[in-house]
Amino acid sequence: MPNGMACDCKGGLLVAMKYFEFGKENKELMVLLHGGGTSYLGVLPTAKKIAEKYHVVLLAYDGFNPSEPETVFQSLAYEAGCLEDYIIKNYGGKVDILYGLSYGCRTLMQVLEDNRLEITTTIADGMSLRDYPDIKSDFWKEVYLFFFTGTFFVIMGRAGKLRKRFLAKITGRSIEEADRILYTKASWKSWKNQDRCLIGKKTDYSVFRNTDMHIWYGIKGTVDKKLSANLEELKAKGYPFTCKIFEDMGHGGLIGENTERFIEEVDAVHRQSKKETEERV
């Protein structure tokens, strides 16, 4: 059964962030972070299937939670901070598998910065390797958000039939899947806050050393091809990670439409992570 948890952290602001939990009888804990501009419903069917083997915690971001439509997304640091505190309070800070999809990869990277946590295997699926611009002026930040965030807000946040077809095409997903994952009730403020908090923030790839890091891309559509544009440059910098390209999958298609294969891939990398951890010990 899903559990609701009110989170009081990072300054005492009380929000109604939800953690949906399944398979609590299982020993190993897997935390799922869905993408931006969508709701947890996009990965819910897979989460329930994974729960046959893993104890699953599925995060529903404030502002993008159909169960709490009145909430507002605050910032990435706030959302990640609440999740970190929840894991520490309820599970002693130990996570066996941390999975993030698209914008969820940015949440994932923030979580990896917390040295209180022990995370065995981390999977960043459809991770952007490009930082947001470093804009100092509040005025130009608003201009950037109006055009950049506004484009996605119109395409995803208020999507009609034609826009859903367009989104399905560029992500390499089906129209039915695009219709299921999109969340059209989030406020403009929540959408802006998703991006505002990342303006000027530099990604710290050194956190890859805090876990066994895996990056996945489904390049059937154009989205992940663009997101992975700086992949070779990242490899050249020597950060420890493994990358796998799925040519027959679109952006998020593995967890969204290919549940059995998703579980097989997760099992494979986690077995390897545990083996390497045991060898180091």
Side-chain angles (χ1 to χ4, degrees):
M1 293 294 292
N3 293 335
M5 169 64 71
C7 177
D8 184 14
C9 59
K10 303 294 189 242
L13 180 63
L14 188 65
V15 296
M17 185 185 294
K18 290 290 180 67
Y19 302 90
F20 296 93
E21 301 202 29
F22 310 93
K24 296 186 75 169
E25 68 278 6
N26 297 316
K27 182 179 179 180
E28 293 189 294
L29 178 65
M30 182 174 186
V31 176
L32 298 179
L33 308 172
H34 67 79
T38 67
S39 79
Y40 68 90
L41 297 177
V43 296
L44 183 59
T46 301
K48 291 181 177 180
K49 185 66 177 178
I50 296 171
E52 294 176 6
K53 183 171 184 178
Y54 296 103
H55 173 189
V56 177
V57 173
L58 172 58
L59 170 64
Y61 299 120
D62 289 322
F64 296 89
N65 183 356
S67 303
E68 301 284 351
E70 71 280 3
T71 58
V72 175
F73 187 95
Q74 303 295 322
S75 70
L76 185 67
Y78 184 82
E79 301 284 327
C82 287
L83 175 60
E84 292 154 21
D85 290 345
Y86 182 81
I87 292 171
I88 290 168
K89 178 180 179 180
N90 294 278
Y91 305 108
K94 187 178 185 303
V95 177
D96 295 285
I97 305 170
L98 176 63
Y99 171 90
L101 172 62
S102 196
Y103 189 91
C105 296
R106 296 191 184 275
T107 312
L108 171 153
M109 292 294 285
Q110 185 81 36
V111 170
L112 287 176
E113 292 182 13
D114 193 333
N115 293 324
R116 299 175 299 168
L117 304 181
E118 179 185 344
I119 303 171
T120 303
T121 306
T122 300
I123 302 169
D125 191 351
M127 177 180 180
S128 175
L129 301 180
R130 182 178 297 175
D131 289 330
Y132 282 56
D134 188 8
I135 304 171
K136 304 299 184 184
S137 164
D138 289 338
F139 172 79
W140 288 113
K141 283 181 182 179
E142 289 299 322
V143 172
Y144 174 81
L145 292 169
F146 178 81
F147 287 103
F148 177 78
T149 308
T151 298
F152 289 96
F153 179 70
V154 170
I155 294 174
M156 297 175 62
R158 297 296 181 265
K161 289 183 179 180
L162 290 177
R163 292 169 187 166
K164 288 175 183 177
R165 289 196 185 99
F166 172 74
L167 184 64
K169 182 177 181 179
I170 65 173
T171 59
R173 306 284 290 276
S174 68
I175 295 176
E176 292 76 18
E177 189 69 8
D179 184 57
R180 183 168 65 85
I181 67 175
L182 288 175
Y183 181 60
T184 58
K185 294 183 179 180
S187 67
W188 170 232
K189 183 176 181 180
S190 286
W191 273 85
K192 284 206 301 183
N193 285 348
Q194 276 191 133
D195 289 335
R196 186 195 304 278
C197 62
L198 290 170
I199 294 175
K201 180 178 174 57
K202 299 300 180 183
T203 303
D204 180 10
Y205 293 103
S206 69
V207 297
F208 285 5
R209 300 187 179 95
N210 297 340
T211 185
D212 185 28
M213 188 74 195
H214 298 263
I215 302 178
W216 292 352
Y217 292 107
I219 60 171
K220 185 178 178 181
T222 60
V223 172
D224 275 19
K225 291 177 182 178
K226 292 182 178 179
L227 293 176
S228 60
N230 297 330
L231 184 59
E232 294 306 316
E233 180 182 340
L234 184 62
K235 289 179 179 178
K237 292 181 179 179
Y239 295 111
F241 71 95
T242 300
C243 183
K244 186 165 185 177
I245 306 294
F246 299 89
E247 295 184 356
D248 59 334
M249 298 288 172
H251 181 66
L254 199 60
I255 190 172
E257 298 168 288
N258 297 272
T259 301
E260 295 298 334
R261 186 174 173 188
F262 174 79
I263 295 172
E264 290 176 2
E265 296 288 347
V266 168
D267 286 346
V269 297
H270 187 49
R271 280 196 303 269
Q272 184 62 31
S273 297
K274 289 192 293 184
K275 181 180 178 181
E276 293 177 359
T277 299
E278 291 170 357
E279 289 175 350
R280 286 195 296 269
V281 175

